[in-house]
Amino acid sequence: MKKILILLAFLFVLTGCELLDFIDDSEPAEGREFVTIERVVDGDTVIVHLEDGTRERVRLLLIDTPESVKPNTEVQPFGEEASDFAKELMPEGETVELERGNPDRDDYDRMLAYIWVDDENVNQRLVEEGYARVAFVYEPNTKYLDELEEAQEEAKENGENIWSISGYAESRFTEY
């Protein structure tokens, strides 16, 4: 009987810990909202579903990746790799956190945002790995600009991906 009570107490503690983890994860960080990834379009564009069911095309703020799916445009070096890396970071069906820009729309009516996975800024990860460059910097949407520029300098110094082709990233991926 004593062994059963100890076992039940142990299970209760384990279950309680899991419940506490669930409670901690049930709310997004301040200024963010939960969204579900429908699909990654390319390295810097993703389609998500908001909690209210609305479907949105999201352009990741402050970054630019080489083209991989733009109509009438050849696939640019590292375009497919950038897209594949974005898909690894944001798999279809995954719930992630989205932090809207201000303003939160661009001229093409795409939502402008940062996406967070496990409290990690996806925009920044793309820059760190050399799949994106810092671009389209417009006030007041510059909240994480310093972090992104620092990540870009490191990727550039290390010759990561887009930075491995001299002048390529600076040319907006058009000269290669």
Side-chain angles (χ1 to χ4, degrees):
M1 181 69 165
K2 189 175 181 181
K3 287 181 182 180
I4 292 174
L5 288 175
I6 292 172
L7 179 62
L8 288 174
F10 180 72
L11 289 173
F12 178 77
V13 169
L14 284 178
T15 305
C17 290
E18 288 178 23
L19 287 175
L20 289 176
D21 286 345
F22 175 77
I23 291 168
D24 288 344
D25 293 341
S26 66
E27 292 295 323
E30 187 169 337
R32 302 180 197 167
E33 60 192 277
F34 286 131
V35 298
T36 303
I37 301 294
E38 177 181 307
R39 72 181 176 93
V40 170
V41 175
D42 64 11
D44 52 31
T45 307
V46 62
I47 297 173
V48 303
H49 292 270
L50 305 180
E51 286 187 312
D52 67 3
T54 307
R55 183 178 186 260
E56 288 283 351
R57 181 175 290 264
V58 176
R59 179 67 166 76
L60 299 180
L61 269 167
L62 298 178
I63 69 168
D64 185 29
T65 61
E67 297 298 340
S68 63
V69 296
K70 186 175 183 179
N72 304 316
T73 303
E74 286 187 36
V75 174
Q76 296 171 324
F78 297 103
E80 289 179 342
E81 292 87 343
S83 182
D84 289 345
F85 187 66
K87 289 173 184 173
E88 284 178 34
L89 294 172
M90 301 176 286
E92 290 180 13
E94 185 83 9
T95 298
V96 300
E97 290 180 299
L98 179 139
E99 182 177 349
R100 295 178 192 231
N102 177 25
D104 71 348
R105 298 278 171 186
D106 67 7
D107 293 339
Y108 303 100
D109 199 36
R110 296 176 296 190
M111 181 179 284
L112 298 171
Y114 303 97
I115 292 189
W116 299 83
V117 175
D118 297 329
D119 212 32
E120 185 172 47
N121 185 327
V122 169
N123 309 45
Q124 185 172 335
R125 277 297 310 277
L126 285 158
V127 172
E128 287 170 351
E129 297 297 323
Y131 291 119
R133 68 186 184 99
V134 175
F136 308 114
V137 178
Y138 304 108
E139 290 287 346
N141 270 330
T142 57
K143 184 172 182 180
Y144 300 104
L145 181 59
D146 291 342
E147 293 91 334
L148 291 170
E149 286 179 335
E150 185 177 310
Q152 178 173 278
E153 278 308 306
E154 191 169 322
K156 194 175 190 178
E157 286 173 15
N158 294 332
E160 299 284 351
N161 297 307
I162 62 172
W163 302 106
S164 68
I165 303 172
S166 182
Y168 174 56
E170 294 88 348
S171 75
R172 296 186 66 180
F173 313 121
T174 58
E175 296 173 22
Y176 52 93

